[in-house]
Structures are given as structure tokens and as C-alpha cells.
Amino acid sequence: MGTFHQDKGELHGITVVVDTVGAEIYVGRCDELNEERIVLHDVDVHRQGDNGRSKEEYVERAARFGIWKQFEQLAIPAEAIASVRRLGDL
Amino acid sequence: MPYSPLIVNPMKEELTSVGFQELLTSEDVDAFMADKETTAMLVINSVCGCAAGQLRPGVRLALQNEIQPDRLVTVFAGQETEATKQARTYFADIPPSSPSIALFKDGELVYFIPRHRIESRSVEEVATDLTAAFDRYFAATPAS
């Protein structure tokens, strides 16, 4: 038993890794993914090289321990998105 | 704002009906953590349908394992906010996550399953992860 919102896509409520075509990579709980954008809740962002960590190193750590959220909500435009993956699959 | 008991109570009862004690206040949490000579499972319950829907039945299934924690306790994130916040102070280096599961042995955190390790898994997979952790961390150490 739980709460669901069936109209927001299969990733709604799932913690995802959103890699971008730029330096940023995001981890957050997907609210909505559509042709225009992805909306994330409880989001952390890492930039390539921040704290001496590559994007891959950041994601590896996030997959083990989770993330400390920096933002309540962020929207990332579709043209900036390189990939969307489930954090739990990594 | 806390959820309606009409929503939350059935989710709590999924755990309390199999022996979990609710920790409703900070004092409850501190009293629980003061016992450092047992094994324990703390479940941070939540209304999240994407993960808690697998967590609760997964936990119930795992409790059919031969080796189990001595104590079973739970807090409800978003409902008993003070107790949840206090519980998280005992593993403060791990980012807040709900639902989630923490296993303790002799007062030390030995295993943690964050939300993102539950939401993509089946009930059986959650139970398998938990029973493997029970066997690994809670099996009696043979006397030497």
C-alpha cells in the first residue's frame, strides 16, 4: 500500500541520475519526464571536477550512500539532457 | 504537516502487526539507542508508494529468516518528524532517506538500505538483501 501518481510517467518517484551534455550531472527524485524537460525533487548537482571528483566518481558515491539535497526542485530542459538512469540500477 | 491517520495507520500496522515497536518521540529513540548489547532493525517508514510499497512486505518476508534482529523498531517520516530527525542523528554521515532501513549491532550501524536501493527492487529482492544482511551481521559468533 502506498501513494501513486499514475499520470506522471514510469519514473515518477524514482531517484534518477540525469547526465547533461555539459559539465553538470544531477541526482534527484523524478517528478515528471516529458518531451520538454525533466522535473526533479530533492536534487543534488555535481559539476565535473568539483571536489576533485569526475561525474563518474560522484555517481558511484551517490549510488552507495545517496545524496545531500541542494535544491527542493529543479527543471532540466530536454536539450540539455544526455541520459536519465535509475540510481538504484547503478 | 503530518498525514492523516487514515492514510498512515494501515502503513504503520503492516510493521507493528509483525512485532515492530513505534518510536514516537526523541526520547523513545534515545532509549532505544541506549541499549548497546543487542541487534536491531530500524525501519524509517513513509507513505512513498514507489519504495515503501516494496519495503514493508519485504521486511515482513525477511522476518521469516532463521536469523533475525533482537529488536524491531520504526519511525514514520513525515509523521513523527521529531523522532525521525533524532533517529537520523545516529547515522548522521548518511544522507537522509525515506523509506530506509538501518541495522544495528551493539549500538553500531552495520548496514543501511537507502530509498533508491528499494524503489527499483521487488519485494523478494528487498527481503533477500535483508536476510543476507541478517545472516552476515547477526549470526552468533562461535565461542573461541
Side-chain angles (χ1 to χ4, degrees), chain A residues 13-63:
Chain A
I14 302 296
T15 306
V16 295
V17 179
V18 181
D19 198 2
T20 71
V21 295
E24 293 82 16
I25 190 164
Y26 299 86
V27 175
R29 199 171 70 253
C30 180
D31 180 58
E32 188 169 12
L33 173 61
N34 58 43
E35 293 178 353
E36 296 179 353
R37 63 182 188 168
I38 186 168
V39 178
L40 301 178
H41 288 165
D42 300 336
V43 191
D44 189 26
V45 59
H46 176 83
R47 291 172 186 81
Q48 176 78 20
D50 276 357
N51 301 316
R53 291 197 189 109
S54 67
K55 286 183 178 181
E56 292 74 19
E57 289 167 330
Y58 164 77
V59 169
E60 184 180 328
R61 186 176 177 84

Coordinates of all heavy atoms in Angstrom, one line a residue, chain A residues 13-63:
Chain A
G13 N 8.7 9.5 -9.0 CA 9.0 9.0 -7.6 C 10.3 8.2 -7.5 O 10.7 7.9 -6.4
I14 N 10.9 8.0 -8.6 CA 12.2 7.2 -8.7 C 13.4 8.1 -8.6 O 13.4 9.2 -9.3 CB 12.2 6.3 -9.9 CG1 11.0 5.4 -10.0 CG2 13.5 5.5 -10.0 CD1 10.9 4.4 -8.9
T15 N 14.4 7.7 -7.9 CA 15.6 8.5 -7.8 C 16.5 8.3 -9.1 O 16.8 7.1 -9.4 CB 16.4 8.2 -6.5 OG1 15.6 8.3 -5.4 CG2 17.6 9.1 -6.4
V16 N 16.7 9.3 -9.8 CA 17.4 9.2 -11.1 C 18.7 10.0 -11.1 O 18.9 11.0 -10.4 CB 16.5 9.6 -12.3 CG1 15.3 8.6 -12.3 CG2 16.0 11.0 -12.1
V17 N 19.5 9.6 -12.1 CA 20.8 10.3 -12.4 C 20.5 11.0 -13.8 O 20.3 10.2 -14.7 CB 22.0 9.4 -12.4 CG1 23.2 10.2 -12.8 CG2 22.2 8.7 -11.1
V18 N 20.6 12.3 -13.8 CA 20.4 13.0 -15.1 C 21.8 13.6 -15.5 O 22.2 14.5 -14.9 CB 19.4 14.1 -15.0 CG1 19.2 14.8 -16.3 CG2 18.0 13.5 -14.5
D19 N 22.4 12.9 -16.5 CA 23.6 13.5 -17.0 C 23.3 14.5 -18.1 O 22.3 14.3 -18.8 CB 24.5 12.4 -17.6 CG 26.0 12.8 -17.7 OD1 26.3 14.0 -17.4 OD2 26.8 12.0 -18.2
T20 N 24.1 15.5 -18.2 CA 23.8 16.5 -19.2 C 24.9 16.6 -20.3 O 26.0 15.9 -20.1 CB 23.7 17.9 -18.5 OG1 25.1 18.3 -18.1 CG2 22.8 17.9 -17.4
V21 N 24.7 17.3 -21.3 CA 25.7 17.5 -22.4 C 26.8 18.4 -21.9 O 27.8 18.6 -22.6 CB 25.0 18.0 -23.7 CG1 24.0 17.0 -24.2 CG2 24.3 19.3 -23.4
G22 N 26.6 19.1 -20.8 CA 27.6 20.0 -20.2 C 28.3 19.4 -19.1 O 28.4 18.2 -18.9
A23 N 28.8 20.2 -18.1 CA 29.6 19.8 -17.0 C 28.7 19.2 -15.9 O 29.3 18.6 -15.0 CB 30.4 20.9 -16.5
E24 N 27.4 19.5 -15.9 CA 26.6 19.2 -14.7 C 26.0 17.8 -14.8 O 25.7 17.3 -15.9 CB 25.5 20.2 -14.5 CG 25.9 21.6 -14.2 CD 26.3 22.4 -15.4 OE1 26.0 22.0 -16.5 OE2 27.0 23.4 -15.2
I25 N 25.9 17.2 -13.6 CA 25.1 15.9 -13.5 C 24.3 16.1 -12.3 O 24.7 16.6 -11.2 CB 26.1 14.7 -13.4 CG1 25.3 13.4 -13.6 CG2 27.0 14.7 -12.2 CD1 26.2 12.2 -13.9
Y26 N 23.0 15.6 -12.4 CA 22.1 15.8 -11.3 C 21.6 14.4 -10.8 O 21.5 13.5 -11.5 CB 20.8 16.5 -11.8 CG 21.1 17.9 -12.4 CD1 21.5 18.1 -13.7 CD2 21.0 19.0 -11.6 CE1 21.8 19.3 -14.2 CE2 21.2 20.3 -12.1 CZ 21.6 20.5 -13.4 OH 21.9 21.7 -13.9
V27 N 21.3 14.4 -9.5 CA 20.6 13.3 -8.9 C 19.4 13.8 -8.1 O 19.6 14.7 -7.3 CB 21.5 12.5 -7.9 CG1 20.8 11.3 -7.2 CG2 22.7 11.9 -8.7
G28 N 18.3 13.2 -8.3 CA 17.1 13.7 -7.6 C 15.9 12.7 -7.9 O 16.1 11.8 -8.7
R29 N 14.9 13.0 -7.2 CA 13.7 12.1 -7.4 C 12.8 12.7 -8.5 O 12.4 13.9 -8.5 CB 12.9 12.1 -6.1 CG 11.9 11.0 -5.9 CD 11.3 10.9 -4.5 NE 10.4 12.0 -4.2 CZ 10.7 13.0 -3.4 NH1 11.9 13.1 -2.8 NH2 9.8 14.0 -3.2
C30 N 12.6 11.9 -9.5 CA 11.9 12.3 -10.7 C 10.4 12.6 -10.4 O 9.7 11.8 -9.8 CB 12.0 11.2 -11.8 SG 11.1 11.7 -13.3
D31 N 10.0 13.8 -10.7 CA 8.6 14.1 -10.6 C 7.9 13.9 -11.9 O 6.9 13.2 -12.0 CB 8.4 15.6 -10.2 CG 6.9 15.9 -10.1 OD1 6.2 15.2 -9.3 OD2 6.4 16.8 -10.8
E32 N 8.5 14.4 -13.0 CA 7.9 14.3 -14.3 C 8.9 14.3 -15.4 O 9.9 15.1 -15.3 CB 6.9 15.4 -14.5 CG 6.0 15.3 -15.7 CD 4.9 16.4 -15.7 OE1 5.0 17.3 -14.9 OE2 4.0 16.2 -16.5
L33 N 8.8 13.5 -16.4 CA 9.7 13.5 -17.5 C 8.8 13.5 -18.8 O 7.9 12.7 -19.0 CB 10.5 12.2 -17.5 CG 11.4 11.9 -18.8 CD1 12.4 13.0 -18.9 CD2 12.1 10.6 -18.7
N34 N 9.0 14.5 -19.6 CA 8.3 14.6 -20.8 C 9.2 15.2 -21.9 O 10.4 15.3 -21.7 CB 7.0 15.6 -20.6 CG 7.4 16.9 -20.1 OD1 8.4 17.5 -20.6 ND2 6.7 17.5 -19.2
E35 N 8.6 15.5 -23.1 CA 9.4 15.9 -24.2 C 10.1 17.2 -24.0 O 11.1 17.5 -24.7 CB 8.5 16.0 -25.5 CG 8.0 14.6 -25.9 CD 7.1 14.7 -27.1 OE1 6.8 15.9 -27.5 OE2 6.7 13.7 -27.6
E36 N 9.7 18.0 -23.1 CA 10.3 19.3 -22.9 C 11.3 19.4 -21.8 O 12.3 20.1 -21.9 CB 9.1 20.3 -22.6 CG 8.2 20.5 -23.7 CD 7.1 21.5 -23.3 OE1 7.0 21.9 -22.1 OE2 6.2 21.8 -24.2
R37 N 11.1 18.5 -20.8 CA 12.0 18.7 -19.6 C 11.8 17.5 -18.6 O 10.9 16.7 -18.8 CB 11.7 20.0 -18.8 CG 10.2 20.0 -18.3 CD 9.9 21.2 -17.6 NE 8.6 21.1 -16.9 CZ 8.1 22.0 -16.0 NH1 8.8 23.0 -15.7 NH2 6.9 21.8 -15.5
I38 N 12.8 17.5 -17.7 CA 12.6 16.6 -16.5 C 12.5 17.5 -15.3 O 13.3 18.4 -15.1 CB 13.7 15.5 -16.4 CG1 13.4 14.5 -15.3 CG2 15.1 16.1 -16.2 CD1 14.2 13.3 -15.3
V39 N 11.6 17.2 -14.4 CA 11.4 17.9 -13.1 C 11.9 17.0 -12.0 O 11.4 15.8 -11.9 CB 10.0 18.4 -12.9 CG1 9.9 19.1 -11.6 CG2 9.5 19.3 -14.1
L40 N 12.8 17.4 -11.2 CA 13.4 16.6 -10.1 C 13.0 17.3 -8.8 O 13.1 18.5 -8.7 CB 14.9 16.5 -10.2 CG 15.4 15.8 -11.5 CD1 17.0 15.8 -11.4 CD2 14.9 14.4 -11.7
H41 N 12.8 16.5 -7.8 CA 12.7 17.0 -6.4 C 13.9 16.5 -5.6 O 14.5 15.5 -5.9 CB 11.4 16.4 -5.8 CG 10.2 17.1 -6.3 ND1 8.9 16.5 -6.1 CD2 10.0 18.1 -7.1 CE1 8.0 17.3 -6.7 NE2 8.6 18.3 -7.3
D42 N 14.2 17.3 -4.5 CA 15.3 16.9 -3.6 C 16.6 16.6 -4.4 O 17.0 15.4 -4.4 CB 14.9 15.7 -2.7 CG 13.7 16.0 -1.9 OD1 13.4 17.2 -1.6 OD2 13.0 15.1 -1.5
V43 N 17.1 17.6 -5.0 CA 18.2 17.4 -6.0 C 19.6 17.8 -5.5 O 19.7 18.8 -4.8 CB 17.8 18.4 -7.2 CG1 18.7 18.0 -8.4 CG2 16.4 18.3 -7.6
D44 N 20.5 17.1 -5.9 CA 21.9 17.4 -5.8 C 22.5 17.6 -7.2 O 22.1 16.9 -8.1 CB 22.7 16.4 -5.0 CG 24.1 16.8 -4.6 OD1 24.3 18.0 -4.5 OD2 25.0 15.9 -4.5
V45 N 23.4 18.5 -7.3 CA 24.1 18.7 -8.6 C 25.6 18.7 -8.4 O 26.1 19.2 -7.4 CB 23.7 20.1 -9.2 CG1 24.0 21.3 -8.3 CG2 24.4 20.3 -10.6
H46 N 26.3 18.0 -9.3 CA 27.7 18.0 -9.3 C 28.3 18.4 -10.6 O 27.7 18.1 -11.7 CB 28.2 16.5 -9.0 CG 29.7 16.3 -9.1 ND1 30.5 16.5 -8.0 CD2 30.5 15.9 -10.1 CE1 31.7 16.3 -8.3 NE2 31.8 15.9 -9.6
R47 N 29.3 19.2 -10.6 CA 30.0 19.6 -11.8 C 31.3 18.9 -12.0 O 32.0 18.7 -11.0 CB 30.2 21.1 -11.8 CG 28.9 21.9 -11.9 CD 29.0 23.4 -11.7 NE 27.7 24.0 -11.7 CZ 26.9 24.0 -10.6 NH1 27.3 23.5 -9.4 NH2 25.7 24.6 -10.6
Q48 N 31.6 18.5 -13.2 CA 32.8 17.7 -13.5 C 34.0 18.4 -12.8 O 34.2 19.6 -13.0 CB 33.0 17.7 -15.0 CG 34.3 17.0 -15.5 CD 34.2 15.5 -15.4 OE1 33.1 14.9 -15.4 NE2 35.3 14.9 -15.4
G49 N 34.7 17.6 -11.9 CA 35.8 18.2 -11.3 C 35.6 18.8 -9.9 O 36.6 19.0 -9.2
D50 N 34.3 19.0 -9.5 CA 34.1 19.6 -8.2 C 34.7 18.6 -7.2 O 34.5 17.4 -7.2 CB 32.5 19.7 -8.0 CG 32.0 20.9 -8.5 OD1 32.7 21.8 -9.0 OD2 30.7 21.1 -8.5
N51 N 35.3 19.2 -6.1 CA 35.9 18.4 -5.1 C 36.9 17.3 -5.6 O 37.0 16.3 -5.0 CB 34.8 17.7 -4.2 CG 33.9 18.7 -3.6 OD1 34.3 19.7 -3.1 ND2 32.6 18.4 -3.7
G52 N 37.4 17.6 -6.8 CA 38.4 16.6 -7.4 C 37.7 15.3 -7.9 O 38.4 14.4 -8.2
R53 N 36.4 15.4 -8.0 CA 35.7 14.2 -8.5 C 35.1 14.3 -9.9 O 34.5 15.4 -10.2 CB 34.5 13.8 -7.6 CG 34.9 13.3 -6.2 CD 33.8 12.6 -5.5 NE 34.1 12.4 -4.1 CZ 33.6 13.0 -3.1 NH1 32.6 13.9 -3.3 NH2 33.9 12.7 -1.9
S54 N 35.3 13.3 -10.7 CA 34.6 13.3 -12.0 C 33.1 13.0 -11.8 O 32.7 12.7 -10.7 CB 35.2 12.2 -12.9 OG 34.9 10.9 -12.3
K55 N 32.4 13.1 -12.9 CA 31.0 12.8 -12.8 C 30.8 11.3 -12.4 O 29.9 11.0 -11.6 CB 30.3 13.0 -14.2 CG 30.1 14.4 -14.6 CD 29.4 14.4 -16.0 CE 29.0 15.8 -16.5 NZ 28.3 15.7 -17.8
E56 N 31.6 10.4 -13.0 CA 31.5 9.0 -12.7 C 31.8 8.7 -11.2 O 31.1 7.9 -10.6 CB 32.5 8.2 -13.6 CG 32.1 8.2 -15.0 CD 32.4 9.5 -15.7 OE1 33.3 10.3 -15.2 OE2 31.8 9.8 -16.8
E57 N 32.8 9.4 -10.7 CA 33.1 9.2 -9.2 C 32.0 9.7 -8.4 O 31.7 9.1 -7.3 CB 34.4 9.9 -8.9 CG 35.7 9.2 -9.5 CD 36.9 10.0 -9.5 OE1 36.8 11.2 -9.5 OE2 38.0 9.4 -9.4
Y58 N 31.4 10.8 -8.7 CA 30.3 11.4 -8.0 C 29.1 10.4 -8.0 O 28.5 10.1 -6.9 CB 29.9 12.7 -8.6 CG 28.5 13.1 -8.1 CD1 28.3 13.7 -6.8 CD2 27.4 13.0 -8.9 CE1 27.1 14.1 -6.4 CE2 26.1 13.4 -8.5 CZ 26.0 13.9 -7.2 OH 24.7 14.2 -6.8
V59 N 28.8 9.8 -9.1 CA 27.7 8.9 -9.3 C 27.9 7.6 -8.5 O 27.0 7.1 -7.8 CB 27.4 8.6 -10.7 CG1 26.4 7.5 -10.9 CG2 26.8 9.8 -11.4
E60 N 29.1 7.2 -8.5 CA 29.5 5.9 -7.8 C 29.2 6.2 -6.3 O 28.7 5.3 -5.6 CB 30.9 5.6 -8.0 CG 31.4 4.3 -7.3 CD 32.9 4.0 -7.6 OE1 33.4 4.4 -8.7 OE2 33.5 3.4 -6.7
R61 N 29.6 7.3 -5.8 CA 29.4 7.6 -4.4 C 27.9 7.8 -4.0 O 27.4 7.3 -3.0 CB 30.2 8.9 -4.0 CG 30.2 9.2 -2.5 CD 31.0 10.4 -2.2 NE 31.0 10.8 -0.9 CZ 31.7 10.3 0.1 NH1 32.6 9.4 -0.2 NH2 31.6 10.7 1.4
A62 N 27.2 8.5 -4.9 CA 25.8 8.7 -4.7 C 25.0 7.3 -4.7 O 24.1 7.2 -3.9 CB 25.2 9.6 -5.8
A63 N 25.4 6.4 -5.5 CA 24.8 5.1 -5.6 C 25.0 4.3 -4.3 O 24.1 3.5 -3.9 CB 25.3 4.3 -6.8

